[in-house]
Amino acid sequence: MRKFLLLCCAAMVVSTISAQKKVLNHTVYDDWQSIGEKQISNNGQVVVFTIVPQEGDGCLWVRKFVKEKNRWDTVVAIPRGYQPKITNDAAFVVCKIKPLFQRTRQAKIQQTKPENMPKDSMAIINVLSGSITKIASVQTFLLPEKGNGVLVCLKDHIPAPKSAFADSINVLMQLKKQLNNSKKTEDSLKKQLQIFEEKGFQYFNALHNNTTDSTTKTAEPTTKTDLYIFHLPDTQSQIIPKVQYVTVSKTGHTIAYNQWIAQENMAVYWCQTNNKKNSLIAQHLHEVNGLTIDNTDTQLAFVAEKDSSSKALQRFFNLYYYKSGEDSARLIVSRTTKGVSANWAVSQFSNTHFSESGKRLFFGTAPIPPPKDTTTPAFEQAALDIWHYADDDIMPEQLKNLERTLKKNYLARYDFTADTVVQLANVIFENVMETQKGDGHYFYTYTDTGRRVQKQWQGFTLKDIYVLNPENGKRNKIVGNIKMRMYPSASGKFLVVYNEIQKKYNCYNAETQQYYTAGKDIQVALYDETNDVPDDPYNYGVAGWTENDQFIWLYDRFDVWQVDPLGKVLSHRITNGRPAKMQYRYIAAKDETFIPQAEPVWFKLFNEQNKYSGFAISYPSENNNEQWQRNNSIVLNAPKLINGVEPDAHMNALLFTMEDYINSPNVFVLNKPIDKQLIMPVQLTTINPQQQQYNWGNAQLFKWKAYDGRMAEGIVYKPENVDSTKKYPMIVYFYERNNQTLYNYIPPTPTPSRLNISFYVSRGYIVFVPDIWYRTGHPGESAYDYIVSGTRAVVKLGYVDSTRIGIQGQSWGGYQTAYVITRTHLFRAAWAGAPVVNMFSAYGGIRWETGVNRQFQYEKTQSRIGADIWQRPDLYIENSPLFHLKKIQTPLVIMSNDADGAVPWYQGIEFYTAMRRLNKPVWLLVYNGEAHNLVERRNRKDIQIREQQFFDWQLKGDKPAKWLTEGIPAVLKGRDWGLEIN
């Protein structure tokens, strides 16, 4: 461990030793790299990952561990490879390959039709030999979850080229050969010959092509893919044309697919991969969905429609079932099947699946929607939305979720014995939690019917919880009117419920039908100790259940507790992180169904004091009398941030990224200690070497006492060449609390809205990011207390020019920026993205990305008023910058985009028009069609330039750009960007 920490420190020292370095500019973004996808094989011996630039072509790397050499070797690098999958036996890696970035870009410039855009291809990599097989124009591929040796992909169907007429003599001879005794054919061909002889070969060929196109158009399939089946290691494929969907069983022994035969005629095939035998099991179907194979490779179910055309106003789907060895699939559920509710049917979007044992078949049903009104032409129909006061969801939310609502279906089970349907979910009990992978004796469900309107201002609903019998669909109420989170055990015997209002756990025993307190002997809080919103605190969560539902592992702020769901055995803390403020969080294995209590397990670590991250191995007790005790050994604890942890199937190795402010996230592998001897993580990548050319910086944890008397934390970022005898401009950036990001790497990038911290630090700015703690009813004053006190505390360090301080925030940070500059003249320049300035109008507004009303946000969550506008209008006035704008003396830029889905963009308009009337220096940036945080990279790049120009002008004394001094009128939009310096 010490050796690793020394290496970390050495790397930091080396990276800060420099001669004169360049400063970052806006040209560096595109080539800056990051780690994209990554995966570790089941045996932990093969790793794949992608290294991608911000814009351009990335690369997929395949590496394997060579035991004889005790090192990781590169198998192959695949330019533009992505979406990698490792086979279960780690023998192959399969991935897709993107077209060249420039090729795709050029196609967009030329406005190429979507169907003619450059296509992805696929690569099959043999890990042992490194050989690569590529297949062009692949849309998707599948590997079996458990088995090996089978790979399927859907490839673009490319029709055979039409045969061209070699010359006029051949055409004439072909036509004459077709003459026979059929009078109709003879007359037709004679007419074609006459046209050919009178008007020539060119005219006839054009006529022939037009005739062919018109006669074959209706026969063109809706699907454009062919199925390729590979039996690895053989990379020669079996090809099945015009396949729409395909599914592979978990073992890979069976494949099911549907194939286009003719117009509105689909066929379903059952394919056994061991003998490559394809069996036609259904045909004459118009549409097929939800192909699913059970775990025993003997059963198939799917949803299909065969009685209506694709243009029919109503189409009714049925559930089909096939068992291996039978002649064909049979229809088992239709609208008229016993158990299907009146005016309900099998859903087209059914989530069809078998239970783990294959003994239960689940599917979805839904009410039959009325057909669309075709009696009145569309242009004569009224276009309106009706908002009803009793609607569960307000109309914008309904419209936002319309597509999902139209696809909503409700869980049902087909009873093979009685040939009936058991409906498990419905419009009142919409969600069902299956247990034991569908084979449990007890399922669980809940309902909030009649209490959904309150969600508008509460942000939550109270629910009733029921236990559900999956055999007959009967429900029994467990508890009612509760604000909760629920965690069923694997078998379903127990249901643990966290009551957010009571701040405690309860347990339901389905066998005894008892409901009682769980973990009542635990004396520390199992809920968020740091909660500062006017709502009930969340619980810290659940790690999982041990085998046979013996124990449940619960989290507190730092530790893991083992709790007996029966309440007979005392609860035990199995980690000891609280004294050092070290947080332990369980790392689950792939496809884990329970925590292996009798085996070593991994924990991820985070220290709240020094912000270090790491891992620990927890060994089971060797004391039979105290089996709850565990020996927790810290394997890694470093001044780093660890992310994306992925274990192998046997928990012998962890794959993850590790970073700090100076060093980019890189890929590491950490093996389980042998005989409890520590093993250092192995670094597999080193990205962004170009960073050494640029002036970078460092991040330091900073503590001070806020105006409310509380000790606060923040992060100070300084250039690597900072001179403590000089004075630097500073930008203060914030949101809520960010101290846990001390070791985050911050690449120079055109951000959606955040301050581009590394960019400014490189260019000679100090950046300060303070934490903020809030008092209910006074979020604005709280922001002032921490932002201003922290800023003045940093100034006292001596290297910040107190006359050249800027402030920047986005969204909630934008609101706080607006509020703070009404309270102080400390800041010389301010930048507020998507700010709320009028809490009265924002309170009744809509979050358009979800369609929900914003009232709950002010009463219960982030805005932290804790009351409605009728109870405490004084608080809404106090916290609304709009009512205090006369006090502002700080030049301000506002970004408020006209497609903002979180903060209504009229808030920016209110801010701008008020400042304009008060003759305050203000600029409003509105990116057309853009979201709350910028999505389009072109717009992200633009705002980085403008933000730099604004702050350099105000804080460094640089000359201003034209858009700042003159603006850009509408007549010059798209002609003059105003970025040149006056």
Side-chain angles (χ1 to χ4, degrees):
M1 174 58 61
R2 184 179 178 186
K3 179 180 178 182
F4 183 73
L5 292 178
L6 290 174
L7 287 173
C8 292
C9 295
M12 293 180 186
V13 171
V14 170
S15 66
T16 56
I17 296 175
S18 61
Q20 188 64 35
K21 293 185 177 181
K22 299 182 291 185
V23 298
L24 294 169
N25 58 59
H26 300 294
T27 67
V28 306
Y29 301 140
D30 292 352
D31 293 332
W32 220 270
Q33 297 171 326
S34 63
I35 303 298
E37 305 155 295
K38 63 185 188 304
Q39 185 183 356
I40 189 170
S41 61
N42 288 338
N43 62 9
Q45 304 297 299
V46 177
V47 163
V48 294
F49 52 84
T50 58
I51 298 176
V52 293
Q54 292 183 24
E55 189 170 286
D57 296 318
C59 186
L60 169 69
W61 292 80
V62 180
R63 302 194 68 178
K64 67 178 179 181
F65 183 73
V66 183
K67 190 174 182 179
E68 296 77 15
K69 301 177 181 178
N70 192 32
R71 73 183 188 197
W72 287 85
D73 284 352
T74 297
V75 176
V76 70
I78 305 291
R80 306 183 309 284
Y82 76 114
Q83 290 184 5
K85 297 292 181 185
I86 307 173
T87 58
N88 289 291
D89 58 4
F92 291 87
V93 172
V94 185
C95 70
K96 294 176 71 176
I97 301 176
K98 294 180 181 180
L100 283 165
F101 175 82
Q102 286 299 335
R103 185 182 170 200
T104 301
R105 179 177 180 272
Q106 191 61 35
K108 290 178 180 179
I109 293 173
Q110 295 172 352
Q111 298 182 339
T112 304
K113 293 181 179 179
E115 61 269 23
N116 296 326
M117 288 291 289
K119 301 292 193 300
D120 285 352
S121 56
M122 182 181 78
I124 306 171
I125 302 110
N126 187 313
V127 174
L128 182 62
S129 67
S131 63
I132 304 170
T133 303
K134 294 183 179 180
I135 299 90
S137 301
V138 169
Q139 291 190 7
T140 186
F141 69 85
L142 292 173
L143 290 167
E145 290 184 27
K146 303 293 183 183
N148 296 295
V150 173
L151 162 68
V152 302
C153 72
L154 291 177
K155 184 182 184 300
D156 284 348
H157 174 71
I158 304 175
K162 298 175 183 178
S163 57
F165 295 118
D167 51 46
S168 58
I169 296 177
N170 285 338
V171 173
L172 188 62
M173 295 300 294
Q174 289 176 20
L175 288 172
K176 288 183 176 181
K177 284 180 180 179
Q178 294 179 48
L179 291 172
N180 56 30
N181 295 327
S182 169
K183 179 65 177 173
K184 185 176 181 180
T185 303
E186 186 175 334
D187 291 344
S188 174
L189 290 171
K190 282 183 177 179
K191 185 176 182 180
Q192 292 183 51
L193 279 167
Q194 183 180 356
I195 293 172
F196 178 83
E197 291 171 343
E198 291 179 355
K199 298 192 175 183
F201 175 73
Q202 183 176 359
Y203 179 86
F204 173 80
N205 201 15
L207 177 65
H208 179 81
N209 288 338
N210 290 337
T211 304
T212 303
D213 288 344
S214 64
T215 57
T216 60
K217 189 173 183 179
T218 57
E220 188 70 17
T222 55
T223 179
K224 300 285 187 181
T225 53
D226 295 335
L227 173 62
Y228 280 51
I229 304 174
F230 298 88
H231 300 272
L232 302 175
D234 184 4
T235 54
Q236 295 299 311
S237 61
Q238 175 187 356
I239 303 173
I240 303 171
K242 301 179 182 178
V243 170
Q244 186 182 34
Y245 300 117
V246 63
T247 187
V248 181
S249 68
K250 286 187 177 181
T251 64
H253 296 157
T254 309
I255 295 171
Y257 61 89
N258 62 300
Q259 183 182 35
W260 181 86
I261 302 300
Q263 187 70 16
E264 296 192 340
N265 185 353
M266 303 295 297
V268 177
Y269 286 85
W270 174 266
C271 174
Q272 295 173 308
T273 58
N274 57 345
N275 58 18
K276 302 182 182 180
K277 180 182 178 182
N278 285 11
S279 300
L280 173 64
I281 61 171
Q283 59 183 327
H284 306 303
L285 303 171
H286 294 163
E287 185 173 343
V288 177
N289 293 315
L291 293 164
T292 182
I293 303 170
D294 78 332
N295 291 339
T296 64
D297 287 277
T298 60
Q299 300 178 99
L300 170 72
F302 59 90
V303 170
E305 191 276 328
K306 67 178 297 184
D307 298 321
S308 305
S309 71
S310 59
K311 296 181 180 180
L313 297 178
Q314 283 187 310
R315 303 172 67 209
F316 302 105
F317 284 77
N318 301 316
L319 180 66
Y320 289 80
Y321 172 79
Y322 173 75
K323 191 167 186 178
S324 181
E326 295 179 350
D327 290 335
S328 61
R330 54 190 171 91
L331 188 155
I332 58 172
V333 179
S334 68
R335 292 181 287 161
T336 60
T337 301
K338 184 178 179 181
V340 178
S341 303
N343 298 316
W344 281 49
V346 175
S347 172
Q348 173 184 0
F349 308 104
S350 167
N351 177 22
T352 308
H353 61 284
F354 290 93
S355 65
E356 179 80 1
S357 68
K359 294 178 180 179
R360 289 175 177 170
L361 172 58
F362 300 98
F363 63 101
T365 62
I368 300 171
K372 289 185 177 181
D373 179 12
T374 59
T375 60
T376 305
F379 67 86
E380 293 181 356
Q381 294 178 12
L384 85 162
D385 301 319
I386 299 175
W387 300 36
H388 192 277
Y389 70 94
D391 285 344
D392 284 342
D393 301 316
I394 61 175
M395 187 55 63
E397 188 173 2
Q398 293 182 49
L399 294 172
K400 189 70 179 180
N401 296 325
L402 181 59
E403 183 177 353
R404 185 173 63 185
T405 302
L406 291 172
K407 294 180 179 180
K408 184 183 291 185
N409 55 91
Y410 304 89
L411 186 69
R413 182 182 68 83
Y414 177 71
D415 190 318
F416 288 100
T417 304
D419 193 25
T420 59
V421 171
V422 179
Q423 192 68 46
L424 302 178
N426 55 41
V427 294
I428 296 176
F429 298 91
E430 296 183 7
N431 302 292
V432 172
M433 302 178 75
E434 299 175 31
T435 60
Q436 204 167 327
K437 298 185 178 180
D439 287 316
H441 293 299
Y442 310 98
F443 289 4
Y444 295 94
T445 184
Y446 57 87
T447 179
D448 56 3
T449 300
R451 288 157 289 185
R452 294 173 184 164
V453 173
Q454 293 92 318
K455 182 177 64 174
Q456 176 176 317
W457 56 90
Q458 290 181 164
F460 63 88
T461 60
L462 298 175
K463 298 174 177 65
D464 300 336
I465 306 175
Y466 288 74
V467 60
L468 172 66
N469 186 332
E471 289 299 311
N472 55 29
K474 290 183 179 180
R475 291 176 289 269
N476 290 316
K477 190 173 181 179
I478 300 173
V479 62
N481 225 37
I482 182 175
K483 184 183 179 189
M484 60 81 185
R485 295 181 176 189
M486 49 197 286
Y487 308 90
S489 65
S491 72
K493 177 182 176 180
F494 299 106
L495 177 72
V496 166
V497 178
Y498 175 70
N499 187 318
E500 292 187 18
I501 296 174
Q502 296 178 354
K503 298 191 285 293
K504 69 178 184 180
Y505 286 95
N506 293 291
C507 183
Y508 173 73
N509 186 326
E511 293 182 350
T512 64
Q513 299 183 18
Q514 293 177 306
Y515 186 71
Y516 46 87
T517 302
K520 61 183 177 182
D521 53 340
I522 298 176
Q523 300 302 310
V524 299
L526 300 176
Y527 53 86
D528 185 3
E529 298 177 17
T530 65
N531 179 59
D532 67 351
V533 298
D535 198 3
D536 305 301
Y538 290 144
N539 59 322
Y540 283 107
V542 170
W545 293 79
T546 62
E547 191 172 5
N548 299 321
D549 300 344
Q550 185 178 7
F551 296 105
I552 184 171
W553 285 11
L554 305 178
Y555 292 130
D556 72 12
R557 181 174 178 181
F558 300 103
D559 291 308
V560 182
W561 291 81
Q562 183 168 279
V563 177
D564 176 16
L566 291 172
K568 296 179 180 180
V569 179
L570 290 176
S571 301
H572 291 285
R573 188 184 65 231
I574 60 177
T575 60
N576 190 29
R578 187 169 289 269
K581 293 191 175 182
M582 181 76 81
Q583 182 188 85
Y584 284 75
R585 291 299 180 257
Y586 176 69
I587 300 173
K590 293 180 180 179
D591 303 321
E592 181 176 276
T593 55
F594 59 84
I595 297 172
Q597 185 184 11
E599 298 177 13
V601 298
W602 288 91
F603 288 110
K604 184 181 177 185
L605 307 178
F606 177 77
N607 190 297
E608 284 192 6
Q609 284 186 312
N610 58 22
K611 320 308 175 186
Y612 282 28
S613 296
F615 298 104
I617 286 278
S618 178
Y619 297 94
S621 173
E622 297 178 358
N623 186 340
N624 293 330
N625 296 323
E626 295 181 335
Q627 292 186 0
W628 59 269
Q629 290 185 344
R630 299 187 71 88
N631 178 20
N632 302 308
S633 175
I634 294 179
V635 179
L636 176 66
N637 185 29
K640 299 284 182 177
L641 176 70
I642 292 173
N643 274 319
V645 181
E646 182 180 347
D648 68 12
H650 306 291
M651 303 300 290
N652 289 323
L654 300 179
L655 178 70
F656 56 94
T657 61
M658 191 158 57
E659 64 191 89
D660 57 35
Y661 179 70
I662 297 174
N663 297 285
S664 296
N666 278 295
V667 177
F668 289 80
V669 173
L670 177 63
N671 289 320
K672 182 189 293 185
I674 300 174
D675 296 328
K676 299 186 179 181
Q677 296 298 312
L678 295 184
I679 298 177
M680 293 299 103
V682 178
Q683 184 171 337
L684 300 184
T685 63
T686 303
I687 63 174
N688 295 318
Q690 77 280 9
Q691 180 181 313
Q692 296 299 319
Q693 304 172 22
Y694 296 96
N695 180 34
W696 200 250
N698 57 73
Q700 298 176 355
L701 192 64
F702 178 70
K703 297 184 179 183
W704 78 98
K705 182 177 286 189
Y707 290 154
D708 65 359
R710 181 171 186 158
M711 287 303 299
E713 291 182 330
I715 304 172
V716 175
Y717 298 91
K718 296 185 292 185
E720 65 180 61
N721 61 350
V722 69
D723 184 343
S724 60
T725 64
K726 294 182 179 179
K727 300 284 188 178
Y728 293 85
M730 182 168 76
I731 300 176
V732 183
Y733 169 77
F734 43 82
Y735 192 73
E736 291 192 357
R737 289 189 287 278
N738 294 277
N739 65 72
Q740 294 188 1
T741 66
L742 175 65
Y743 292 111
N744 284 39
Y745 181 77
I746 306 175
T749 181
T751 76
S753 56
R754 303 181 305 276
L755 188 74
N756 194 346
I757 291 176
S758 297
F759 177 86
Y760 285 97
V761 170
S762 175
R763 300 178 71 85
Y765 284 89
I766 306 295
V767 175
F768 174 49
V769 182
D771 280 2
I772 304 166
W773 293 85
Y774 300 91
R775 291 180 292 122
T776 298
H778 307 281
E781 184 71 14
S782 300
Y784 170 84
D785 284 351
Y786 284 82
I787 294 169
V788 176
S789 66
T791 300
R792 294 194 182 280
V794 174
V795 170
K796 288 181 180 179
L797 297 176
Y799 50 78
V800 172
D801 186 339
S802 62
T803 66
R804 295 187 292 151
I805 303 176
I807 185 171
Q808 198 264 16
Q810 164 71 15
S811 188
W812 181 239
Y815 156 72
Q816 294 173 107
T817 296
Y819 180 90
V820 167
I821 62 176
T822 69
R823 292 288 313 279
T824 180
H825 303 151
L826 174 64
F827 300 100
R828 185 166 176 172
W831 188 286
V836 165
V837 291
N838 182 353
M839 287 195 172
F840 283 100
S841 58
Y843 176 84
I846 301 293
R847 296 179 68 94
W848 293 108
E849 64 187 5
T850 58
V852 301
N853 181 253
R854 295 171 53 85
Q855 292 177 358
F856 74 93
Q857 181 175 326
Y858 294 87
E859 297 184 40
K860 292 291 185 181
T861 62
Q862 187 177 60
S863 297
R864 294 176 170 87
I865 299 299
D868 62 45
I869 57 175
W870 303 280
Q871 293 171 320
R872 295 297 305 271
D874 58 311
L875 293 180
Y876 285 81
I877 292 173
E878 172 194 320
N879 290 284
S880 296
L882 184 72
F883 299 102
H884 315 289
L885 295 187
K886 285 187 177 181
K887 302 175 184 178
I888 292 179
Q889 294 183 10
T890 306
L892 169 71
V893 175
I894 307 164
M895 183 194 77
S896 194
N897 302 323
D898 56 17
D900 192 327
V903 172
W905 82 293
Y906 56 71
Q907 288 290 316
I909 297 173
E910 289 189 50
F911 200 1
Y912 166 78
T913 55
M915 291 281 285
R916 172 183 164 99
R917 173 169 180 169
L918 295 170
N919 197 31
K920 308 285 186 180
V922 64
W923 297 260
L924 175 61
L925 303 181
V926 180
Y927 287 92
N928 303 151
E930 269 286 14
H932 183 64
N933 295 297
L934 294 173
V935 175
E936 296 287 344
R937 187 169 175 84
R938 56 194 170 101
N939 293 330
R940 293 181 180 187
K941 287 183 174 181
D942 181 85
I943 202 171
Q944 302 308 310
I945 297 172
R946 297 185 192 278
E947 193 168 44
Q948 181 212 337
Q949 290 179 335
F950 174 69
F951 281 127
D952 282 359
W953 172 40
Q954 291 291 329
L955 305 183
K956 284 188 171 182
D958 288 3
K959 292 183 179 180
K962 180 180 178 181
W963 70 274
L964 288 165
T965 55
E966 302 176 21
I968 304 298
V971 295
L972 294 180
K973 182 178 179 178
R975 301 171 185 268
D976 185 349
W977 300 103
L979 296 175
E980 64 273 18
I981 303 299
N982 288 330

